[in-house]
Amino acid sequence: MVRISIIGAGSVAFSSKIIRDLCLTEDLWGSTVTLMDINEERLKIAYLFATRYCKEVKAELKFEATTDRKKALQDVDFVICTVKVGGYEPMEAERRIAERYGYYRGIGDRVSDYYGGIGAYHQLKFFLRLAREMEELCPDAWLIETANPVFEGTTLLSRETKVKVVGVCNGHLAYKQLVKALNLDVKEVEVEMAGFNHCIWLTRFLWRGEDAYPLIDEWIESKAEEYWRSREYLAGYPWNTEQLSPGAVDMYRLFGLFPIGDTVRSVSPWWHHIDFKTKQKWYGPSGGFDSEVGWSLYLKLREERLKKLTDLIRNPSASLVREFPPVPSEEQHVPIIDSIANDKKRVLQLNILNKGLIAGVPDDVVVEVPAVVDGRGIRGLPVGSLPKRLMLHVIMPRMRRMEQILQAFKEGDKTTLLLMLMEDPRTKSFEQAKALLEEILAQPWNVEAREHYR
Amino acid sequence: MVRISIIGAGSVAFSSKIIRDLCLTEDLWGSTVTLMDINEERLKIAYLFATRYCKEVKAELKFEATTDRKKALQDVDFVICTVKVGGYEPMEAERRIAERYGYYRGIGDRVSDYYGGIGAYHQLKFFLRLAREMEELCPDAWLIETANPVFEGTTLLSRETKVKVVGVCNGHLAYKQLVKALNLDVKEVEVEMAGFNHCIWLTRFLWRGEDAYPLIDEWIESKAEEYWRSREYLAGYPWNTEQLSPGAVDMYRLFGLFPIGDTVRSVSPWWHHIDFKTKQKWYGPSGGFDSEVGWSLYLKLREERLKKLTDLIRNPSASLVREFPPVPSEEQHVPIIDSIANDKKRVLQLNILNKGLIAGVPDDVVVEVPAVVDGRGIRGLPVGSLPKRLMLHVIMPRMRRMEQILQAFKEGDKTTLLLMLMEDPRTKSFEQAKALLEEILAQPWNVEAREHYR
């Protein structure tokens, strides 16, 4: 019996999964779950879902709802953070501004949803504030950080605060798409992935105990072209097809290990993303998750799903279980809680301080690695060395970008924001970057950021 | 009394300075100096100079000359390496090829003379061969490495061989130009510079014991504009004016410490070097050392100096001392030998393994720092932390470039050569970079490199 808080629980598409997982984990019954959000309307929906679902599956959990974050943090054991400060609109507006300056699909490593605007200012500020409150109100609690940017956020909190923080993502599950393409039984497969969040690589891949990388090579050699002509690829959602796209295969060829999940979106080389046509070549007809087509599709489906979910919850006679069968999601948040609270050993894919797990990465940088979770806490499994070419061309640059973002944030260093932009291959002049930065900082939602970065 | 070899002694413009310094260091009299070069004609000139100069200043040194490197290395105590494999012409030819592909002034961090062509292949291969021979023929000798690239070369040898290697450059002496501009007495000034070779920064600058950075700020504020309008700046040689150019001042503003010497050429930001006009704005009418004007001027003067020197040496009745007064050059090679051989403590500016000297740089990377040299050898002085912004935007990227060059060289990894080119802001497509790389590797002087990089 523990106390759990979900900060940002109004994101009901996400929190419904966590609530369902909690209800289905009998060993956590008797626990209290506090749903917290600043949006009362959305919080109410989440609370309605939680209490009704709980009742339908006859789970024994106590749910509370509050808009008061401090109240939600008081004496809890686990905090799940899923907050996106300001929502998606400012980010979309910043992208439109950036496009006017010649930055197709905006700035921020092409994957602007992770960063929440220039230098991730709003997200990092929120994370830090939350962690400071936790230090005071629940100093022994675990912070399960699932809001982006996970890499920057968890590294910042691990360095600056005393909070026990672990970063959680579901992107690594995309390895199953690879396994499926190879026509293997996922139960006979052993995988290990390592790197940074949204930058993880298949470091170990066994089928029936034998190296299965040759099966990938064979697939590329003899099946890939066919797959890229198939309806499954051509008409599939980008988040389902990117994992086996020509872009992913190219990254494997360039860097020596197969990229997994959001890695394909997030650290694919710049020359894959010059324009929509180029993106189509590498990531399929939609141009991938982060093209104007793929991303619009995602936002549209997201909205539709949310509406459907909200309508369902608002209809008191609808069966939630029929829509949400009592099967655990594959999210790792509740398993972490279950493993720590009930001392059940599990290996999960988590973001924790490196401390020697990946060779050549400093100890004070958070890495995403397999980790053993049990009553003793979270212990990462050493991964050893990554291929040198991958280190030099992806891992080191991605780490440096993280350090730049944190340095700019910590020191309020506007010059670093500018120098980051100067590294963008689309930047043609200092004046172009400077003007863009000034215009973004001049937006109404960036009043605080403008004060901060000098 | 020690045995010293100068490998590449036919570069008489350089070796004449070393020979003069040796002749003027009485405590080294009785030593044997072997001049080695594969070019017999140039070797003969160097030998003529050495024996005549020695006689004119009544020094007591024994000079030998040989084209046999192994003979030159047998049982010596100090080896000075100043070899440029293949000379300048292949580099110039590669630059012309690169310009056809849209790379103004060629590839190789804009400063193509340091790298000796793609990936510095020929230089690194020579360094490694020389060090292997030293391991066998003079395992206790010091290798004083002055041939470029010093950063990559000394790091490679420190990691891969047992040879005691120290990298030596004279670029740091440009701090005196700064001191002169500030109208200070160099004897009242204390400086410390640190970083990597051709990437060093004024980490400490005292005048009469007080921080003198405010004097730099004052100069920029009230004197710089006037200097940039002066004949001294407008008509000066770029190697004399770059140190106080608008480009250097901009680097100071961006990165927080003043760049010293070749640093200004070598790690100034890409947007200073877009075209000749831009280069003129930042580095003066000549466009700086590495523009078509500045570099041509350098090559022309170099040739004229060499011709004059050769004519002088060939004229048996000319007085060498009149042309080369018996005053030590400011090169550090002979002082290193004198300090080690005769246990005379000196602080010099040297390139040695980091081992904690600069915070945040791995131990196995060579850094350029102040170092104490005496009978015990060479011990670097800890420098501490560099400003975070400088680390993130200059030091880390420069270090990564070094690692890329060494990884490509060690593993014969052509993909890394290509990925390095893809990071060049002038690269517009993979095809452009690939075609350029193939054309460069197809040149007759790159037959071996083409075999090596796969």
Side-chain angles (χ1 to χ4, degrees), chain B residues 286-357:
Chain B
S286 70
F289 204 156
D290 297 301
S291 79
E292 48 272 57
V293 173
W295 185 247
S296 303
L297 185 64
Y298 170 72
L299 290 184
K300 185 170 154 277
L301 289 182
R302 195 172 166 277
E303 207 174 305
E304 283 173 10
R305 208 169 49 226
L306 188 64
K307 190 180 176 312
K308 198 177 144 197
L309 179 56
T310 311
D311 289 349
L312 185 77
I313 298 168
R314 284 205 175 111
N315 174 2
S317 62
S319 156
L320 294 180
V321 173
R322 195 176 310 147
E323 200 63 33
F324 295 93
V327 177
S329 79
E330 294 187 288
E331 297 288 349
Q332 304 179 103
H333 308 70
V334 176
I336 292 176
I337 296 172
D338 184 35
S339 283
I340 293 177
N342 299 315
D343 195 16
K344 287 189 216 166
K345 206 179 288 295
R346 277 186 180 91
V347 175
L348 300 172
Q349 180 76 13
L350 300 176
N351 293 271
I352 53 176
L353 275 180
N354 184 45
K355 294 187 181 165
L357 299 174

Coordinates of all heavy atoms in Angstrom, one line a residue, chain B residues 286-357:
Chain B
S286 N 43.4 41.3 -46.3 CA 43.9 40.1 -47.0 C 43.0 38.9 -46.8 O 43.2 37.8 -47.3 CB 45.3 39.7 -46.3 OG 45.0 39.2 -45.0
G287 N 41.9 39.1 -46.0 CA 41.0 38.0 -45.7 C 41.6 37.0 -44.7 O 41.1 35.9 -44.6
G288 N 42.7 37.4 -44.1 CA 43.3 36.5 -43.1 C 44.3 35.6 -43.7 O 44.5 35.5 -44.9
F289 N 45.0 34.8 -42.9 CA 46.1 33.9 -43.2 C 45.6 32.9 -44.3 O 46.3 32.6 -45.2 CB 46.5 33.2 -41.9 CG 47.9 32.6 -42.0 CD1 48.6 32.4 -40.8 CD2 48.5 32.4 -43.2 CE1 49.8 31.9 -40.8 CE2 49.8 31.9 -43.2 CZ 50.5 31.6 -42.0
D290 N 44.3 32.4 -44.1 CA 43.9 31.3 -44.9 C 43.0 31.6 -46.1 O 42.4 30.8 -46.7 CB 43.2 30.2 -44.0 CG 44.2 29.7 -43.0 OD1 45.2 29.1 -43.4 OD2 43.9 29.9 -41.8
S291 N 43.0 32.9 -46.5 CA 42.2 33.3 -47.7 C 43.1 33.0 -48.9 O 44.3 32.8 -48.8 CB 41.9 34.8 -47.6 OG 43.0 35.5 -48.0
E292 N 42.5 33.2 -50.1 CA 43.3 33.0 -51.3 C 44.5 34.1 -51.3 O 45.6 33.8 -51.8 CB 42.5 33.1 -52.6 CG 41.5 34.3 -52.6 CD 40.2 34.0 -52.0 OE1 40.2 33.7 -50.8 OE2 39.1 34.2 -52.6
V293 N 44.2 35.3 -50.8 CA 45.3 36.3 -50.8 C 46.3 36.0 -49.7 O 47.5 36.0 -50.0 CB 44.6 37.7 -50.6 CG1 45.7 38.8 -50.4 CG2 43.7 38.0 -51.8
G294 N 45.8 35.8 -48.5 CA 46.8 35.6 -47.3 C 47.6 34.4 -47.5 O 48.8 34.5 -47.3
W295 N 47.0 33.3 -47.9 CA 47.8 32.1 -48.1 C 48.8 32.2 -49.2 O 49.9 31.7 -49.1 CB 46.8 30.9 -48.2 CG 47.5 29.6 -48.2 CD1 47.6 28.7 -49.3 CD2 48.2 29.0 -47.2 NE1 48.3 27.6 -49.0 CE2 48.7 27.7 -47.6 CE3 48.5 29.3 -45.9 CZ2 49.4 26.9 -46.9 CZ3 49.2 28.5 -45.1 CH2 49.7 27.3 -45.6
S296 N 48.4 32.8 -50.3 CA 49.2 32.9 -51.5 C 50.5 33.8 -51.1 O 51.6 33.5 -51.5 CB 48.5 33.6 -52.7 OG 47.4 32.8 -53.0
L297 N 50.2 34.8 -50.4 CA 51.2 35.7 -49.9 C 52.2 34.9 -49.0 O 53.4 35.0 -49.2 CB 50.6 36.8 -49.1 CG 51.5 37.9 -48.5 CD1 52.1 38.7 -49.7 CD2 50.7 38.9 -47.6
Y298 N 51.7 34.1 -48.2 CA 52.5 33.3 -47.3 C 53.4 32.3 -48.1 O 54.6 32.3 -47.9 CB 51.6 32.5 -46.3 CG 52.4 31.4 -45.5 CD1 53.3 31.8 -44.5 CD2 52.2 30.1 -45.8 CE1 54.0 30.8 -43.8 CE2 52.9 29.1 -45.1 CZ 53.8 29.5 -44.1 OH 54.5 28.5 -43.4
L299 N 52.8 31.7 -49.1 CA 53.6 30.7 -49.9 C 54.6 31.5 -50.7 O 55.8 31.0 -50.8 CB 52.6 29.9 -50.9 CG 51.7 28.9 -50.2 CD1 50.9 28.2 -51.3 CD2 52.4 27.9 -49.3
K300 N 54.3 32.6 -51.2 CA 55.2 33.4 -52.0 C 56.4 33.9 -51.1 O 57.6 33.7 -51.5 CB 54.5 34.6 -52.6 CG 55.3 35.5 -53.5 CD 54.4 36.5 -54.3 CE 55.2 37.7 -54.7 NZ 55.4 38.7 -53.6
L301 N 56.1 34.4 -50.0 CA 57.2 34.9 -49.1 C 58.1 33.7 -48.6 O 59.3 33.9 -48.5 CB 56.6 35.6 -47.9 CG 56.0 37.0 -48.1 CD1 55.5 37.6 -46.8 CD2 57.0 37.9 -48.8
R302 N 57.4 32.6 -48.4 CA 58.1 31.4 -47.9 C 59.1 31.0 -49.0 O 60.3 30.7 -48.7 CB 57.0 30.3 -47.8 CG 57.5 29.1 -47.0 CD 56.2 28.2 -46.8 NE 56.7 26.9 -46.3 CZ 57.1 26.0 -47.1 NH1 57.1 26.2 -48.4 NH2 57.5 24.8 -46.7
E303 N 58.7 31.0 -50.2 CA 59.6 30.6 -51.3 C 60.7 31.6 -51.5 O 61.9 31.2 -51.7 CB 58.7 30.6 -52.6 CG 59.3 29.6 -53.7 CD 58.3 29.5 -54.8 OE1 57.1 29.2 -54.6 OE2 58.7 29.8 -56.0
E304 N 60.4 32.9 -51.4 CA 61.4 33.9 -51.6 C 62.5 33.8 -50.4 O 63.7 33.9 -50.7 CB 60.8 35.3 -51.5 CG 60.1 35.7 -52.8 CD 59.3 37.0 -52.6 OE1 59.5 37.7 -51.6 OE2 58.6 37.4 -53.5
R305 N 62.0 33.6 -49.2 CA 62.8 33.4 -48.1 C 63.8 32.2 -48.3 O 65.0 32.3 -48.0 CB 62.0 33.3 -46.8 CG 62.7 33.8 -45.6 CD 61.7 33.9 -44.4 NE 60.9 32.6 -44.2 CZ 59.6 32.6 -44.1 NH1 58.9 33.7 -44.0 NH2 59.0 31.4 -43.9
L306 N 63.2 31.2 -48.8 CA 63.9 29.9 -49.0 C 65.0 30.2 -50.0 O 66.1 29.7 -49.9 CB 63.0 28.8 -49.4 CG 63.6 27.4 -49.5 CD1 64.0 27.0 -48.1 CD2 62.6 26.4 -50.1
K307 N 64.6 30.9 -51.1 CA 65.6 31.1 -52.2 C 66.8 32.0 -51.7 O 67.9 31.7 -51.9 CB 64.9 31.8 -53.3 CG 65.8 31.8 -54.6 CD 65.2 32.5 -55.8 CE 66.2 32.6 -56.9 NZ 67.5 33.1 -56.5
K308 N 66.4 33.0 -50.9 CA 67.4 33.9 -50.4 C 68.4 33.1 -49.5 O 69.6 33.3 -49.5 CB 66.7 35.0 -49.6 CG 67.5 36.3 -49.4 CD 66.7 37.3 -48.7 CE 67.6 38.1 -47.7 NZ 66.9 38.9 -46.7
L309 N 67.8 32.3 -48.6 CA 68.5 31.6 -47.6 C 69.4 30.6 -48.4 O 70.6 30.5 -48.1 CB 67.5 30.8 -46.7 CG 68.1 29.9 -45.7 CD1 69.0 30.7 -44.7 CD2 66.9 29.3 -44.8
T310 N 68.9 29.9 -49.4 CA 69.7 28.9 -50.1 C 70.8 29.6 -50.9 O 72.0 29.1 -50.8 CB 68.8 28.2 -51.1 OG1 67.6 27.8 -50.4 CG2 69.4 27.0 -51.7
D311 N 70.5 30.7 -51.5 CA 71.6 31.5 -52.2 C 72.7 31.9 -51.2 O 73.9 31.8 -51.5 CB 71.0 32.7 -52.8 CG 70.1 32.4 -54.0 OD1 70.2 31.2 -54.5 OD2 69.4 33.3 -54.5
L312 N 72.3 32.3 -50.1 CA 73.2 32.8 -49.1 C 74.1 31.6 -48.6 O 75.4 31.8 -48.6 CB 72.4 33.3 -47.8 CG 73.3 33.9 -46.7 CD1 73.7 35.3 -47.1 CD2 72.4 33.9 -45.4
I313 N 73.5 30.5 -48.4 CA 74.3 29.3 -47.9 C 75.3 28.9 -49.0 O 76.4 28.5 -48.8 CB 73.4 28.2 -47.5 CG1 72.5 28.7 -46.3 CG2 74.1 26.9 -47.1 CD1 71.3 27.8 -46.0
R314 N 74.7 28.9 -50.3 CA 75.6 28.5 -51.4 C 76.8 29.4 -51.7 O 77.7 29.0 -52.4 CB 74.7 28.4 -52.7 CG 73.8 27.2 -52.6 CD 73.4 26.8 -54.1 NE 72.7 25.5 -54.1 CZ 71.4 25.4 -54.4 NH1 70.7 26.5 -54.8 NH2 70.8 24.3 -54.4
N315 N 76.7 30.6 -51.2 CA 77.8 31.5 -51.4 C 78.8 31.4 -50.3 O 78.5 31.8 -49.1 CB 77.2 33.0 -51.4 CG 78.3 34.0 -51.5 OD1 79.5 33.7 -51.6 ND2 77.8 35.3 -51.5
P316 N 79.9 30.8 -50.6 CA 80.9 30.4 -49.5 C 81.5 31.6 -48.8 O 82.0 31.5 -47.7 CB 81.9 29.6 -50.2 CG 81.8 29.9 -51.7 CD 80.4 30.4 -51.9
S317 N 81.4 32.8 -49.5 CA 82.0 33.9 -48.8 C 81.0 34.8 -48.0 O 81.4 35.7 -47.3 CB 82.7 34.8 -49.9 OG 81.7 35.3 -50.8
A318 N 79.7 34.4 -48.0 CA 78.8 35.2 -47.3 C 78.9 34.9 -45.8 O 79.2 33.8 -45.4 CB 77.4 34.9 -47.8
S319 N 78.6 35.9 -45.0 CA 78.6 35.7 -43.6 C 77.2 35.3 -43.1 O 76.2 36.1 -43.3 CB 79.0 37.0 -42.8 OG 78.5 37.0 -41.5
L320 N 77.0 34.2 -42.6 CA 75.7 33.7 -42.1 C 75.3 34.5 -40.9 O 74.1 34.8 -40.7 CB 75.7 32.2 -41.8 CG 75.9 31.3 -43.0 CD1 75.9 29.8 -42.6 CD2 74.8 31.5 -44.1
V321 N 76.3 34.8 -40.0 CA 76.0 35.4 -38.8 C 75.4 36.8 -39.0 O 74.5 37.3 -38.3 CB 77.2 35.5 -37.9 CG1 77.0 36.4 -36.6 CG2 77.7 34.1 -37.5
R322 N 75.9 37.5 -40.1 CA 75.3 38.8 -40.4 C 73.8 38.7 -40.7 O 73.0 39.5 -40.2 CB 76.1 39.4 -41.6 CG 75.8 40.9 -41.7 CD 76.5 41.6 -42.8 NE 78.0 41.3 -42.8 CZ 78.7 41.2 -43.9 NH1 78.2 41.4 -45.1 NH2 80.0 40.9 -43.7
E323 N 73.5 37.6 -41.4 CA 72.0 37.4 -41.8 C 71.3 36.8 -40.6 O 70.1 37.1 -40.4 CB 71.9 36.5 -43.0 CG 70.6 36.6 -43.7 CD 70.4 38.0 -44.3 OE1 71.4 38.7 -44.7 OE2 69.2 38.4 -44.4
F324 N 71.9 36.0 -39.8 CA 71.3 35.3 -38.6 C 72.1 35.7 -37.4 O 72.9 34.9 -36.9 CB 71.3 33.8 -38.8 CG 70.5 33.3 -40.0 CD1 71.1 33.1 -41.2 CD2 69.1 33.1 -39.8 CE1 70.3 32.7 -42.3 CE2 68.3 32.7 -40.9 CZ 68.9 32.5 -42.1
P325 N 71.8 36.8 -36.8 CA 72.5 37.2 -35.6 C 72.4 36.2 -34.5 O 71.4 35.5 -34.5 CB 71.8 38.5 -35.2 CG 71.0 38.9 -36.4 CD 70.7 37.7 -37.1
P326 N 73.5 36.1 -33.8 CA 73.5 35.0 -32.7 C 72.6 35.3 -31.6 O 73.0 35.5 -30.4 CB 75.0 35.0 -32.3 CG 75.5 36.3 -32.7 CD 74.7 36.9 -33.8
V327 N 71.3 35.3 -31.9 CA 70.3 35.6 -30.8 C 69.3 34.4 -30.9 O 68.9 34.0 -32.0 CB 69.5 36.9 -31.2 CG1 68.3 37.1 -30.2 CG2 70.4 38.0 -31.2
P328 N 69.0 33.8 -29.8 CA 68.1 32.6 -29.9 C 66.8 32.9 -30.5 O 66.2 34.0 -30.3 CB 67.9 32.2 -28.4 CG 69.0 32.9 -27.6 CD 69.3 34.1 -28.4
S329 N 66.2 32.0 -31.3 CA 64.9 32.2 -31.8 C 64.0 31.9 -30.6 O 64.4 31.6 -29.5 CB 64.6 31.1 -32.8 OG 64.3 29.9 -32.2
E330 N 62.7 32.1 -30.8 CA 61.8 31.8 -29.6 C 61.2 30.4 -29.7 O 60.3 30.1 -29.0 CB 60.7 32.9 -29.6 CG 61.2 34.2 -29.3 CD 60.1 35.3 -29.1 OE1 59.5 35.6 -30.1 OE2 59.9 35.7 -27.9
E331 N 61.7 29.6 -30.6 CA 61.3 28.2 -30.7 C 61.6 27.5 -29.4 O 62.7 27.8 -28.8 CB 61.9 27.5 -31.9 CG 61.5 28.1 -33.3 CD 60.1 27.8 -33.6 OE1 59.4 26.9 -33.0 OE2 59.6 28.4 -34.6
Q332 N 60.8 26.5 -29.0 CA 61.0 25.9 -27.7 C 61.8 24.5 -27.8 O 62.0 23.9 -26.8 CB 59.6 25.6 -27.1 CG 58.8 26.9 -26.9 CD 57.4 26.6 -26.3 OE1 57.2 26.8 -25.2 NE2 56.5 26.0 -27.1
H333 N 62.1 24.1 -29.0 CA 62.7 22.8 -29.2 C 64.0 22.7 -28.4 O 64.2 21.7 -27.6 CB 62.9 22.5 -30.6 CG 61.7 22.7 -31.5 ND1 61.2 23.9 -31.8 CD2 60.9 21.8 -32.1 CE1 60.1 23.8 -32.5 NE2 59.9 22.5 -32.7
V334 N 64.9 23.6 -28.6 CA 66.2 23.5 -28.0 C 66.1 23.8 -26.4 O 66.7 23.1 -25.7 CB 67.3 24.4 -28.7 CG1 68.6 24.4 -28.0 CG2 67.4 24.0 -30.1
P335 N 65.3 24.7 -26.0 CA 65.1 24.9 -24.6 C 64.6 23.6 -23.9 O 65.0 23.2 -22.8 CB 64.1 26.0 -24.5 CG 64.4 26.9 -25.7 CD 64.8 25.9 -26.7
I336 N 63.7 22.8 -24.6 CA 63.3 21.5 -24.0 C 64.5 20.6 -23.8 O 64.7 20.0 -22.7 CB 62.3 20.8 -24.9 CG1 60.9 21.6 -25.0 CG2 62.0 19.4 -24.5 CD1 59.9 21.0 -26.0
I337 N 65.3 20.5 -24.8 CA 66.5 19.6 -24.8 C 67.4 20.1 -23.7 O 67.9 19.3 -22.9 CB 67.2 19.6 -26.2 CG1 66.2 19.0 -27.2 CG2 68.5 18.8 -26.1 CD1 66.8 19.1 -28.6
D338 N 67.7 21.4 -23.7 CA 68.6 21.9 -22.7 C 68.0 21.7 -21.2 O 68.8 21.3 -20.3 CB 68.7 23.5 -22.9 CG 69.7 24.1 -22.0 OD1 70.7 23.5 -21.6 OD2 69.5 25.3 -21.6
S339 N 66.7 21.9 -21.0 CA 66.2 21.7 -19.7 C 66.2 20.3 -19.3 O 66.6 20.0 -18.1 CB 64.7 22.2 -19.7 OG 64.7 23.6 -19.7
I340 N 65.9 19.3 -20.2 CA 65.9 17.9 -19.8 C 67.3 17.4 -19.6 O 67.7 16.8 -18.6 CB 65.1 17.1 -20.8 CG1 63.6 17.4 -20.8 CG2 65.3 15.6 -20.6 CD1 62.8 16.7 -21.8
A341 N 68.2 17.7 -20.6 CA 69.6 17.2 -20.6 C 70.4 17.8 -19.4 O 71.2 17.1 -18.8 CB 70.2 17.5 -21.9
N342 N 70.1 19.1 -19.2 CA 71.0 19.8 -18.2 C 70.3 20.1 -16.9 O 70.7 20.9 -16.1 CB 71.6 21.0 -18.8 CG 72.5 20.7 -20.0 OD1 73.3 19.7 -20.0 ND2 72.3 21.4 -21.1
D343 N 69.1 19.5 -16.7 CA 68.2 19.8 -15.5 C 68.1 21.3 -15.2 O 68.4 21.7 -14.1 CB 68.8 19.0 -14.3 CG 67.8 18.9 -13.2 OD1 66.6 19.2 -13.4 OD2 68.2 18.6 -12.0
K344 N 67.7 22.0 -16.2 CA 67.4 23.4 -16.0 C 65.9 23.7 -16.0 O 65.3 23.4 -17.1 CB 68.0 24.3 -17.1 CG 69.5 24.4 -17.1 CD 70.0 25.4 -18.1 CE 71.3 25.1 -18.8 NZ 71.5 25.8 -20.0
K345 N 65.4 24.1 -14.9 CA 63.9 24.2 -14.9 C 63.4 25.4 -15.7 O 63.9 26.5 -15.6 CB 63.5 24.4 -13.4 CG 62.1 24.0 -13.1 CD 61.7 24.2 -11.7 CE 62.4 23.2 -10.7 NZ 62.0 21.8 -10.9
R346 N 62.5 25.1 -16.6 CA 61.8 26.2 -17.4 C 60.3 25.9 -17.5 O 59.9 24.7 -17.4 CB 62.3 26.1 -18.9 CG 63.6 26.8 -19.2 CD 63.8 26.7 -20.7 NE 65.0 27.4 -21.1 CZ 66.2 26.8 -21.2 NH1 66.3 25.5 -21.0 NH2 67.3 27.4 -21.6
V347 N 59.5 26.9 -17.6 CA 58.1 26.7 -17.9 C 57.9 27.0 -19.4 O 58.2 28.1 -19.9 CB 57.2 27.6 -17.1 CG1 55.7 27.4 -17.5 CG2 57.3 27.2 -15.6
L348 N 57.4 26.0 -20.1 CA 57.2 26.2 -21.6 C 55.7 25.9 -21.9 O 55.0 25.4 -21.0 CB 58.2 25.3 -22.4 CG 59.7 25.5 -22.1 CD1 60.5 24.4 -22.8 CD2 60.1 26.8 -22.7
Q349 N 55.4 26.2 -23.1 CA 54.0 26.0 -23.6 C 54.0 24.7 -24.4 O 54.4 24.8 -25.6 CB 53.5 27.2 -24.3 CG 52.1 27.1 -24.9 CD 51.0 27.3 -23.8 OE1 51.3 27.8 -22.7 NE2 49.8 27.0 -24.1
L350 N 53.5 23.6 -23.9 CA 53.7 22.3 -24.6 C 52.5 21.5 -24.7 O 51.5 21.7 -24.0 CB 54.8 21.5 -23.8 CG 56.2 22.2 -23.7 CD1 57.1 21.4 -22.9 CD2 56.7 22.5 -25.1
N351 N 52.5 20.5 -25.6 CA 51.4 19.6 -25.9 C 51.7 18.2 -25.3 O 52.6 17.5 -25.8 CB 51.2 19.5 -27.4 CG 50.7 20.8 -27.9 OD1 49.5 21.1 -28.0 ND2 51.6 21.7 -28.3
I352 N 51.0 17.9 -24.2 CA 51.2 16.6 -23.5 C 49.9 16.0 -23.1 O 48.9 16.7 -23.1 CB 52.1 16.9 -22.2 CG1 51.4 18.0 -21.4 CG2 53.5 17.3 -22.6 CD1 52.1 18.2 -20.0
L353 N 49.9 14.7 -22.7 CA 48.7 14.1 -22.3 C 48.0 14.9 -21.1 O 48.7 15.3 -20.2 CB 49.0 12.7 -21.8 CG 49.0 11.6 -22.9 CD1 49.3 10.2 -22.3 CD2 47.7 11.5 -23.7
N354 N 46.7 15.0 -21.2 CA 46.0 15.8 -20.3 C 46.1 15.3 -18.8 O 46.5 16.1 -18.0 CB 44.5 15.8 -20.7 CG 43.7 16.8 -19.8 OD1 44.1 17.9 -19.5 ND2 42.6 16.3 -19.3
K355 N 45.7 14.1 -18.6 CA 45.8 13.5 -17.2 C 45.3 14.5 -16.2 O 46.1 14.8 -15.2 CB 47.3 13.1 -16.9 CG 47.7 11.9 -17.8 CD 49.1 11.4 -17.3 CE 49.5 10.2 -18.2 NZ 50.9 9.9 -18.1
G356 N 44.2 15.1 -16.4 CA 43.5 15.9 -15.4 C 43.9 17.4 -15.4 O 43.5 18.2 -14.6
L357 N 44.8 17.8 -16.3 CA 45.2 19.2 -16.4 C 44.1 20.1 -16.7 O 44.0 21.2 -16.1 CB 46.4 19.4 -17.3 CG 47.6 18.5 -17.0 CD1 48.7 18.7 -18.1 CD2 48.2 19.0 -15.7

